[in-house]
Amino acid sequence: MGSITELGCLEFEQIFQSTTNGIRIIDRDYNVVKVNKAYCNLFGISENNAIGKKCYESIGTSMCQTTDCPLNVILNGENHAEYDMEININNGTKINYKSSVHPIYDSDGEIIGIIEDIRDTIEYMRVVDELKIRESVLASSINAIAVADLEGRLTYVNRSFLNMWECDIGEAFSKPITDYWQMGNSASEALEYLIKKGKWISEGIIERKDQSLSNIQILASMVIDENDNPICIVTSFMDITELRRIKESKIRAQTALAIAKPNIDTIKSIMDAVVIAIAITDLDGKITRHNKGFVETFGPYPNAIGKSLNDFISENDIADVIERMNDCINNGHSSSIECAGVAQNGRKIELLIDLTPMKDSRDNLTGIIVVIRDITEQKLAVETQKHLSNELMHKNKELEELIRIVSHDLRSPLVNIQGFSNELANSCNQIKSIINEKSEVSDIIGRILPILNDDISDMLKYILVSVSKIDSLLSGLLKISRLGRAILNINEINMNELMSNVVYTFEFQIKQAEINLEVGDLPICYGDENQINQVFSNLLSNAIKYLDPNKEKKIIISGWEEGGHVKYSVEDNGIGIAPEYQEKIFDMFYRLNPTATVGDGLGLNIIRKVIERHNGKIWVKSEQGKGSKFFISLPKGRSLESANIASLIANA
Ligand code: ADP
C-alpha cells in the first residue's frame, strides 16, 4: 500500500492551492495530512494547526467517530460521501459548509485516504432561506398567485388562489394559466405579448358560487434568468371589488362635492334672490346665516348673525316660538307658526315662520332652517276682506231694516196722511154742498164753521204730525247713510281727554238730575276722534235718559286693556232692558217705550255702525229694573288702518 504523504507534484500543488474550495486530505487513521490555503481561510486556522492532527480534533462534528463519518463511509465501500455541517469555529461564528468526500487510491487501487472538498454554504443557505421566505410569502399572500411553465401549465398556486377560484389543487391544475386570464380567444396573443414585453396587466370578473361577482386585477409577468431567458410565468390575481367600491364611492363623493360646491354658491344666490326671509340657526337658536330677504324684512339689524331668533320676535309670542324651536331640535319636527315680529325701526310685522330641522350628511341635526314670510299685507287683506263681508252683512241687515222702515214705519204716517186727506176731501165736499144749498148766509156759516174749526183743523194737525214723522224718519236715514260714507280718520285718541269733553257737554243735565258720575282712567285707542266722541256721547246720553227717577242715580265709565283689545264700559243703575230686547235695541228706529222719552231710536244703531267700522264690537249686559252696562271693544294698535282701506274700497 502506498503512503498518502507521497502525494504531490508541482502541478498538483498549484491546483491544490489555487482552488477556492477548502480541501483537506485525511489518511486512513483520521490524520489530516494536507490542507490548502482556502481551507485555512475558511476555518481561520494555520496550516500547522491543521496538519498532523486527527481530523475530528481540528474540525469536529457530531458524525466524527461514528459509522456516518465520511472516512468510515468510504472505507466501507462507498466511493462518494456528502454532508452538510454547521461548525462553531474558535471566534464563535457558525459556518455552514457542504463537504464532498472522495477516496484516494494508491497505485494498487487500495484506499489510502480521503480527499475532502469543502464549500462555504453560507450564501447557499441564505439563498435557500430566502427562497423559503419567498415561498411562505407567496403561500401566505392575500393575492392569488399562480406559477406556470412556458407552455402555460400550472406548477404552483397559493392558498389565496384556491380561495379565489373556489377550487382544490387538482381542479386548479387541470386548466392552463391562460384560462384564468379570462381572455377567451385573445389568450394566445396575451401569452405572446407576455413573452415579448415581460408583463401585462388587465381586469376581470369572477362569478362566485353564491352568484356574487368579484372584480379582479390580473398581473402576469415573465420570470427570466440572468441571461434573459424566460423561465416561467407568474400571475397574481388581486380582488379589487372593495377597492373599486371605495374608489367608485370616492369618485361619487368627489363628483357630488364638485356638484355640491357650485350648489352652495347657487343656494346662496337663490337664498338671496328669494323675497322671503331665510335664516339658519344653530342648535341654540342663534342665527348663523341669513339672506338678503331677512334684511329686507327686518331692516339692517347690526350684527344679526349671532343674535337669537327671539330677538326678532314680539315679546308676547317669544314663548310660543321657543316651544316650536325646541320641538324642532329635540324631536326633529317641522312646524309653522304665525307670530308678530319686530323690525329694526320698531315696526310690528305679522310673520308666518316655518321651522325645519337642518341635518348634515350623516343625518345629525345641526340647526334650524327658518323661513320667514311677512304676512302683514296678507293679514291686512284678510282683515279687510273680513271687514268687507261684515260690512256687506250689515248692509244687508240695514236693507232689511230699510224695507221694514219703508213698509211699516214710513207707511203708517203715509196711511194717516192718505186717510186724513180723504177725510179732508169729504169735509170740503160737505162745505161745497152746504154752500150750494143757497141757504141763509148765517145758516151756512153756522154749519161750515164747526167743520172748519174742528174737523178740518184736527185733520190738518194729524196730517202735519205724519209729515213730520216722515221727515224725521227720512232725516234719520240720511244721517245713517252719511255716516256709512264718511271716511275714517284714524289717529291715536287720548280717551281721558275725549271723555272729559263728552262729560262737559252733559254737565248741566248731570248736575240737575243729581247723578253720581264716576270716570276711571281710560286707555288710549286708535280711531276717528269725531265718531268715537259721538259713540260715548250717545251712550252717556242714554245712560242719563234711562235712569230710574226713583233711585239714587249712578253712572260709571271705565276702561281697560285685555289681550289685543282696549275695552270701555258705560254703566247705569237705570230702568234696564229685558233680555229679549237686548239685541233689538241696536236696530234702526227701534225704541222700547217710544212715548215715555224723546228720541229717534237711532243712537245705538249709529254707535254699532261706528264701532264695527273700527273693527270693534258693542254689546250690553242688563237687568230690567236694575240697570244696564254697555261694553265697547276696539283693537289695540294700528290694525284699524284696514278699516280705512275697507271704507275707501266700500265707498269707491
Ligand atoms: P233712543 O234713545 O233715541 O230711543 P237709542 O237707539 O239710543 O234710541 O236706544 C234705543 C232704545 O234702547 C231706547 O229707546 C231704549 O228703549 C233702549 N235703551 C238705550 N239705552 C238704554 C239704557 N241705558 N237703559 C235702558 N234702555 C236703554
Side-chain angles (χ1 to χ4, degrees):
M1 184 185 291
S3 166
I4 200 162
T5 49
E6 292 166 13
L7 283 170
C9 67
L10 194 60
E11 288 86 357
F12 170 78
E13 187 62 23
Q14 277 177 17
I15 296 165
F16 185 74
Q17 290 301 345
S18 63
T19 178
T20 51
N21 289 355
I23 297 174
R24 68 174 174 172
I25 293 170
I26 302 166
D27 67 14
R28 291 177 64 106
D29 299 321
Y30 307 101
N31 296 313
V32 177
V33 292
K34 195 169 181 65
V35 294
N36 69 351
K37 280 183 195 144
Y39 178 90
C40 295
N41 290 340
L42 198 60
F43 295 104
I45 52 172
S46 68
E47 205 177 316
N48 289 341
N49 275 342
I51 295 170
K53 299 261 169 65
K54 296 288 183 192
C55 61
Y56 48 81
E57 283 173 358
S58 72
I59 300 163
T61 73
S62 56
M63 288 185 298
C64 289
Q65 296 175 299
T66 69
T67 48
D68 291 335
C69 159
L71 178 58
N72 292 343
V73 171
I74 295 292
L75 291 177
N76 285 333
E78 295 292 331
N79 65 355
H80 178 231
E82 229 175 51
Y83 59 97
D84 293 318
M85 287 286 158
E86 188 184 79
I87 304 284
N88 284 321
I89 56 165
N90 295 342
N91 62 8
T93 45
K94 282 183 178 174
I95 296 177
N96 289 91
Y97 67 91
K98 199 171 209 36
S99 170
S100 180
V101 180
H102 289 90
I104 304 170
Y105 300 100
D106 64 8
S107 51
D108 299 327
E110 288 283 329
I111 296 172
I112 54 169
I114 55 169
I115 179 161
E116 193 176 9
D117 177 4
I118 303 161
R119 271 174 289 126
D120 176 359
T121 57
I122 290 174
E123 184 58 20
Y124 169 79
M125 289 307 285
R126 200 186 58 72
V127 171
V128 169
D129 283 350
E130 202 168 288
L131 278 174
K132 273 188 197 159
I133 291 166
R134 283 189 189 182
E135 196 184 324
S136 69
V137 168
L138 281 181
S140 60
S141 168
I142 55 160
N143 290 344
I145 293 166
V147 181
D149 64 19
L150 298 176
E151 268 77 52
R153 283 184 297 263
L154 289 183
T155 55
Y156 171 84
V157 291
N158 69 353
R159 184 161 299 282
S160 299
F161 183 94
L162 301 176
N163 290 341
M164 178 177 276
W165 296 97
E166 295 178 310
C167 60
D168 60 26
I169 228 169
E171 286 169 306
F173 277 47
S174 67
K175 288 191 278 182
I177 187 66
T178 46
D179 276 17
Y180 295 97
W181 289 349
Q182 299 194 332
M183 288 184 170
N185 295 338
S186 323
S188 54
E189 287 165 31
L191 194 59
E192 258 176 51
Y193 182 88
L194 187 64
I195 292 167
K196 216 188 286 171
K197 298 280 181 184
K199 68 159 85 167
W200 55 251
I201 194 161
S202 79
E203 286 187 4
I205 292 172
I206 301 177
E207 190 178 343
R208 301 196 172 272
K209 284 181 182 158
D210 66 0
Q211 292 185 332
S212 66
L213 297 176
S214 294
N215 295 91
I216 53 165
Q217 189 185 67
I218 307 165
L219 170 66
S221 39
M222 188 62 81
V223 180
I224 49 169
D225 67 11
E226 62 266 29
N227 299 318
D228 286 347
N229 295 318
I231 304 170
C232 62
I233 300 158
V234 176
T235 312
S236 92
F237 303 86
M238 184 161 63
D239 189 334
I240 54 165
T241 316
E242 189 62 10
L243 207 72
R244 177 170 276 197
R245 202 185 58 73
I246 293 168
K247 204 167 152 188
E248 277 170 6
S249 63
K250 202 170 154 190
I251 290 170
R252 270 202 304 275
Q254 277 169 348
T255 318
L257 206 70
I259 295 166
K261 174 94 179 61
N263 273 358
I264 288 164
D265 298 336
T266 315
I267 287 165
K268 197 181 170 300
S269 10
I270 291 171
M271 265 176 77
D272 280 343
V274 290
V275 188
I276 49 174
I278 301 172
I280 289 165
T281 75
D282 61 14
L283 295 175
D284 296 323
K286 297 253 179 327
I287 293 171
T288 56
R289 179 188 287 205
H290 64 70
N291 69 343
K292 282 184 187 160
F294 187 90
V295 180
E296 273 153 29
T297 303
F298 291 100
Y301 252 99
N303 309 325
I305 304 254
K307 270 187 190 294
S308 168
L309 183 66
N310 300 332
D311 294 341
F312 300 86
I313 305 297
S314 153
E315 217 177 294
N316 288 341
D317 292 332
I318 286 179
D320 289 347
V321 173
I322 289 178
E323 195 185 314
R324 297 299 184 97
M325 286 175 84
N326 287 342
D327 188 34
C328 187
I329 288 163
N330 299 331
N331 309 316
H333 290 163
S334 303
S335 63
S336 299
I337 180 169
E338 262 188 42
C339 62
V342 190
Q344 189 232 353
N345 57 7
R347 185 176 70 92
K348 193 183 142 204
I349 330 164
E350 297 294 339
L351 301 173
L352 175 65
I353 298 184
D354 293 326
L355 302 165
T356 311
M358 190 171 75
K359 292 176 176 176
D360 64 11
S361 56
R362 271 175 253 126
D363 221 26
N364 295 324
L365 202 75
T366 56
I368 304 175
I369 302 167
V370 189
V371 177
I372 304 160
R373 265 162 288 198
D374 182 347
I375 54 165
T376 314
E377 294 289 316
Q378 202 178 319
K379 277 205 118 178
L380 201 66
V382 171
E383 260 182 62
T384 308
Q385 200 186 4
K386 218 160 85 185
H387 184 86
L388 284 174
S389 27
N390 274 344
E391 192 112 313
L392 192 70
M393 208 174 76
H394 290 305
K395 287 263 188 274
N396 279 340
K397 219 170 156 225
E398 270 173 29
L399 203 67
E400 278 168 25
E401 278 185 83
L402 208 70
I403 291 164
R404 177 179 64 79
I405 292 157
V406 172
S407 63
H408 178 262
D409 299 21
L410 265 178
R411 198 162 180 272
S412 40
L414 272 174
V415 169
N416 275 348
I417 291 168
Q418 195 184 28
F420 287 117
S421 301
N422 287 338
E423 291 281 311
L424 203 60
N426 284 341
S427 298
C428 288
N429 287 337
Q430 224 180 323
I431 292 170
K432 252 190 229 166
S433 63
I434 291 170
I435 293 168
N436 288 341
E437 279 176 17
K438 296 177 181 155
S439 308
E440 285 292 316
V441 175
S442 57
D443 180 42
I444 291 170
I445 292 169
R447 284 170 64 196
I448 289 175
L449 269 181
I451 297 172
L452 282 172
N453 287 342
D454 300 332
D455 298 351
I456 292 181
S457 161
D458 279 355
M459 283 171 219
L460 284 173
K461 208 162 78 191
Y462 286 125
I463 287 171
L464 283 174
V465 167
S466 295
V467 166
S468 82
K469 175 76 181 166
I470 289 171
D471 181 55
S472 109
L473 285 171
L474 287 177
S475 61
L477 284 175
L478 197 66
K479 200 156 127 191
I480 285 174
S481 145
R482 278 197 192 123
L483 183 81
R485 278 185 286 128
I487 290 173
L488 295 182
N489 187 14
I490 305 293
N491 283 306
E492 186 185 296
I493 304 172
N494 180 336
M495 286 298 285
N496 290 324
E497 217 171 87
L498 182 139
M499 200 56 76
S500 67
N501 290 337
V502 170
V503 170
Y504 182 73
T505 54
F506 290 92
E507 206 167 49
F508 177 72
Q509 286 161 268
I510 292 166
K511 271 196 184 143
Q512 209 179 37
E514 294 178 340
I515 298 165
N516 177 5
L517 174 71
E518 270 179 33
V519 183
D521 187 34
L522 307 175
I524 60 146
C525 71
Y526 286 88
D528 183 300
E529 195 159 347
N530 288 333
Q531 294 201 3
I532 297 293
N533 187 307
Q534 177 154 25
V535 164
F536 286 94
S537 297
N538 287 0
L539 283 178
L540 186 58
S541 160
N542 281 352
I544 296 168
K545 193 165 32 167
Y546 299 106
L547 280 169
D548 186 343
N550 305 315
K551 274 201 272 182
E552 213 175 287
K553 296 160 191 148
K554 190 169 173 97
I555 296 173
I556 305 167
I557 299 172
S558 321
W560 66 99
E561 283 186 19
E562 203 177 295
H565 293 87
V566 275
K567 292 185 176 173
Y568 306 96
S569 68
V570 179
E571 184 179 7
D572 63 65
N573 63 344
I575 57 171
I577 306 154
E580 62 270 31
Y581 302 115
Q582 286 176 12
E583 259 300 306
K584 287 194 93 38
I585 53 169
F586 293 97
D587 289 351
M588 262 190 258
F589 305 115
Y590 194 90
R591 306 200 71 220
L592 270 181
N593 193 355
T595 50
T597 49
V598 185
D600 53 11
L602 283 177
L604 288 178
N605 188 269
I606 287 170
I607 294 174
R608 189 173 67 182
K609 283 196 169 65
V610 169
I611 294 302
E612 279 171 356
R613 286 191 73 196
H614 282 73
N615 285 336
K617 271 186 191 157
I618 175 165
W619 68 100
V620 65
K621 280 184 183 168
S622 179
E623 212 179 312
Q624 211 170 8
K626 285 200 168 169
S628 308
K629 189 171 184 179
F630 284 84
F631 293 88
I632 279 174
S633 163
L634 289 170
K636 201 172 132 187
R638 299 200 67 91
S639 68
L640 284 167
E641 276 161 17
S642 62
N644 266 342
I645 296 166
S647 68
L648 283 170
I649 295 167
N651 295 304

